[in-house]
């Protein structure tokens, strides 16, 4: 974190400063900010946030023992460390992050891009980081740090040398994105897609649209909203933002687009067209044609902030995977390909993954889909799992292995379709699925492992990747 005095931090987080030992309110703190006591180093700030399972205050002694210079707590603790007592530790984290970004930004060179959407956020964030790093110092989240804790933790990594900050914004509830937008104040806001991911939390698509729209409604006229013109729910956000609009997509009147798409087992080739009229061929190694839309979104934002076409193309061509456990290509032994895409799953991403599996199959060899639950769909879960089962039949997937009770309707729907005879198998556990694939896979087969994170199939994908590596 940039250096701030204890007095400044106390004021920013609206807390009561309790000095310990020889500490003074003018003392500067510039260590890392942590919510995990195991990551605390000498000089760190430890924020004792309450959690769903435990309470960060229980780990404050460990943070103090590791050399924390400051504890931000919701109650004063009997520890020989300077503390700031606040009403809400998570709100204090956000306020501190917002103040740090504002101070760095006041120097005039920091530009901020925020990205949201039902699918593709992490891939787009990674592409943006790769593009911006070719121009200047860039801060972007590791993994999917996109909530009320993860996003501020990323924000706190900026320094006076940072030129670009990329923030991924997830929406666990209505108002979550709006709060993050107020904290970071992006120069460019990207909205990728509106789909059924998290439908169980929002209730319906209209609520999802309202939540995601917060990305663009609070932008300034000098800011830019980058919108997916191919998604009608995203495209309509152009009417509710004061920002300048940059549209991306494959169809219609758009500013940034792709043409001449050709997908295969090694990725997708296409021609990238930027808003300024420049174009260039791209060999994009990320598997799955659906990831081209993420590439277009990143390219649109990068162009807005001055990244050259050459650097944009170089970044795309250097990206070999979307992210760990996202369309990650493993295996290779006996020409068996394992696609591990089991970090997240929504109806849209499940459909895209199955279509990619069918599209890249080796002629004369089988396609095997090992599928688990799509979580957080609420009352839509049953019909959406049915729909995926039917899609697998219609795509002529050679073998489907459904794992876990919560995904079982995919198996039932394939049987009810009546066009298959034994091509779908149900098992209770990932171990059973592993043995089934191990004993039945043939040289040249392509295996997709796809589920929500909660189903745990990503580790099954890793095991299969190791088996055929």
């Amino acid at each position: 974190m940039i250096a701030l005095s204890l007095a400044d931090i106390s004021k920013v987080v609206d807390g009561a400063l309790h000095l310990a030992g020889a500490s003074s309110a003018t003392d500067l703190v510039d260590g890392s900010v942590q919510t995990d006591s195991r990551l605390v180093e000498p000089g760190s700030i430890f924020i004792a946030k309450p959690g769903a399972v435990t309470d960060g205050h229980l780990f404050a002694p460990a943070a103090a023992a590791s050399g924390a210079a400051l504890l931000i707590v919701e109650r004063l603790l009997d520890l020989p460390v300077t503390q700031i007592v606040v009403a809400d530790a998570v709100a204090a984290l956000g306020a501190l992050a917002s103040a740090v970004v504002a101070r760095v930004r006041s120097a005039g060179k920091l530009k901020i891009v925020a990205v949201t959407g039902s699918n593709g956020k992490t891939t787009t964030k990674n592409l943006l980081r790769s593009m911006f790093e070719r121009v200047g110092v860039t801060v972007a989240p590791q993994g999917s740090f996109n909530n009320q804790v993860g996003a501020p933790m990323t924000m706190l990594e900026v320094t006076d040398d940072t030129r670009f900050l990329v923030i991924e914004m997830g929406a666990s509830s209505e108002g979550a994105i709006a709060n993050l937008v107020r904290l970071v104040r992006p120069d460019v806001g990207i909205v990728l897609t509106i789909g059924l991911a998290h439908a169980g939390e929002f209730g319906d698509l209209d609520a999802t649209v309202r939540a995601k729209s917060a990305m663009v409604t609070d932008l300034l006229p000098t800011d830019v909203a980058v919108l997916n013109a191919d998604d009608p729910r995203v495209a309509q956000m152009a009417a509710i933002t004061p920002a300048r609009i940059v549209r991306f997509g494959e169809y219609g009147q758009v500013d940034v687009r792709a043409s001449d798409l050709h997908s295969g087992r090694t990725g997708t080739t296409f021609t990238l067209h930027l808003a300024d009229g420049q174009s260039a061929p791209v060999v994009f190694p990320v598997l799955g044609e659906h990831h081209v839309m993420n590439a277009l979104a990143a390219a649109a934002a990068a162009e807005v902030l001055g990244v050259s076409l050459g650097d944009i193309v170089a970044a795309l061509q250097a990206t070999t995977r979307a992210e760990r456990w996202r369309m990650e290509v493993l295996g290779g032994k006996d020409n068996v390909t394992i696609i591990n895409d089991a970090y997240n799953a929504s109806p849209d991403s499940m459909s895209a993954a199955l279509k990619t599996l069918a599209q890249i199959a080796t002629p004369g060899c089988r396609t095997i889909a090992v599928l688990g639950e799509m979580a957080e769909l609420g009352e839509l879960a049953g019909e959406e799992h049915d729909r995926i089962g039917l899609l697998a039949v219609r795509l002529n997937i050679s073998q489907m292995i459904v794992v876990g009770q919560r995904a079982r309707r995919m198996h039932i729907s394939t049987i009810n379709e009546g066009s298959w005879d034994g091509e779908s198998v149900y098992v209770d556990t990932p171990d059973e699925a592993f043995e089934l694939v191990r004993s039945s896979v043939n040289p040249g087969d392509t295996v997709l492992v796809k589920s929500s994170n909660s189903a745990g199939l990503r580790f099954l994908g890793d095991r299969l990747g190791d088996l055929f590596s």
Side-chain angles (χ1 to χ4, degrees), residues 150-224:
M153 292 292 285
T154 300
M155 294 162 61
L156 286 163
E157 294 180 19
V158 302
T159 69
D160 292 330
D161 294 326
T162 304
R163 183 167 173 187
F164 299 102
L165 170 63
V166 182
I167 294 292
E168 180 182 336
M169 295 185 179
S172 57
S173 61
E174 284 199 60
I177 290 177
N179 181 58
L180 291 175
V181 169
R182 285 191 292 268
L183 289 180
V184 73
R185 292 296 177 188
D187 300 288
V188 180
I190 302 172
V191 186
L192 298 168
T193 60
I194 301 294
L196 290 175
H198 312 299
E201 297 172 350
F202 289 108
D204 57 35
L205 276 173
D206 289 340
T208 304
V209 171
R210 289 195 299 271
K212 302 291 186 183
S213 295
M215 174 63 79
V216 299
T217 51
D218 285 344
L219 293 177
L220 301 175
T222 52
D223 297 331
V224 177

Side-chain angles (χ1 to χ4, degrees), residues 115-469:
V115 56
T116 193
S118 298
N119 299 290
K121 295 185 295 296
T122 300
T123 301
T124 304
K125 172 261 297 183
N126 288 339
L127 293 173
L128 286 165
R129 172 169 42 206
S130 180
M131 292 173 186
F132 289 141
E133 283 178 340
R134 294 171 183 273
V135 178
V137 177
T138 301
V139 170
Q142 300 297 323
S144 295
F145 275 29
N146 61 21
N147 60 14
Q148 305 300 310
V149 173
M153 292 292 285
T154 300
M155 294 162 61
L156 286 163
E157 294 180 19
V158 302
T159 69
D160 292 330
D161 294 326
T162 304
R163 183 167 173 187
F164 299 102
L165 170 63
V166 182
I167 294 292
E168 180 182 336
M169 295 185 179
S172 57
S173 61
E174 284 199 60
I177 290 177
N179 181 58
L180 291 175
V181 169
R182 285 191 292 268
L183 289 180
V184 73
R185 292 296 177 188
D187 300 288
V188 180
I190 302 172
V191 186
L192 298 168
T193 60
I194 301 294
L196 290 175
H198 312 299
E201 297 172 350
F202 289 108
D204 57 35
L205 276 173
D206 289 340
T208 304
V209 171
R210 289 195 299 271
K212 302 291 186 183
S213 295
M215 174 63 79
V216 299
T217 51
D218 285 344
L219 293 177
L220 301 175
T222 52
D223 297 331
V224 177
V226 175
L227 302 178
N228 181 354
D230 292 352
D231 185 323
R233 296 184 183 91
V234 175
Q236 69 184 9
M237 294 180 189
I240 59 172
T241 179
R244 177 166 69 90
I245 307 299
V246 174
R247 295 173 174 84
F248 68 93
E250 295 179 26
Y251 312 103
Q253 297 298 312
V254 295
D255 302 292
V256 177
R257 64 186 178 91
S259 65
D260 304 318
L261 275 71
H262 299 282
S263 292
R265 296 173 68 84
T266 58
T268 305
T269 62
F270 62 95
T271 300
L272 172 65
H273 304 266
L274 295 183
D276 66 0
Q278 294 187 82
S279 64
V282 178
V283 179
F284 189 39
V286 176
L287 189 63
E289 187 175 305
H290 54 290
H291 282 302
V292 171
M293 291 298 287
N294 303 326
L296 295 179
E303 182 189 17
V304 164
L305 294 181
V307 181
S308 69
L309 174 62
D311 282 334
I312 290 171
V313 171
L316 292 176
Q317 297 193 150
T319 304
T320 58
R321 68 180 184 186
E323 175 69 47
R324 184 85 164 93
W325 298 312
R326 290 174 171 88
M327 298 303 285
E328 184 176 15
V329 180
L330 306 171
K333 179 182 177 182
D334 297 328
N335 201 30
V336 173
T337 299
I338 308 296
I339 304 170
N340 193 356
D341 193 26
Y343 188 84
N344 255 328
S346 66
D348 290 338
S349 68
M350 186 75 84
S351 297
L354 284 171
K355 290 173 182 175
T356 297
L357 175 63
Q359 186 177 46
I360 69 169
T362 300
C365 297
R366 298 186 308 156
T367 51
I368 302 171
V370 184
L371 307 180
E373 177 197 15
M374 298 180 292
E376 301 177 350
L377 293 177
E379 62 183 20
L380 298 174
E383 64 186 82
E384 290 302 322
H385 282 85
D386 288 344
R387 188 172 67 82
I388 294 302
L390 296 178
L391 177 63
V393 175
R394 290 162 189 170
L395 290 172
N396 201 29
I397 301 302
S398 308
Q399 176 76 67
M400 189 161 81
I401 301 171
V402 177
V403 187
Q405 280 289 337
R406 293 182 177 178
R408 194 167 184 268
R409 281 188 63 161
M410 284 191 284
H411 170 63
I412 299 300
S413 67
T414 65
I415 295 173
N416 291 340
E417 181 71 359
S419 61
W420 275 9
D421 181 16
E423 287 94 339
S424 182
V425 178
Y426 170 78
V427 297
D428 285 312
T429 68
D431 286 342
E432 292 174 89
F434 176 82
E435 290 302 324
L436 191 56
V437 174
R438 184 188 62 79
S439 62
S440 63
V441 73
N442 297 321
D445 287 353
T446 304
V447 183
L448 168 70
V449 182
K450 178 71 174 172
S451 73
S452 287
N453 194 6
S454 57
L457 296 195
R458 64 193 188 280
F459 303 118
L460 169 62
D462 286 343
R463 290 179 66 193
L464 291 170
D466 290 341
L467 180 65
F468 293 103
S469 64

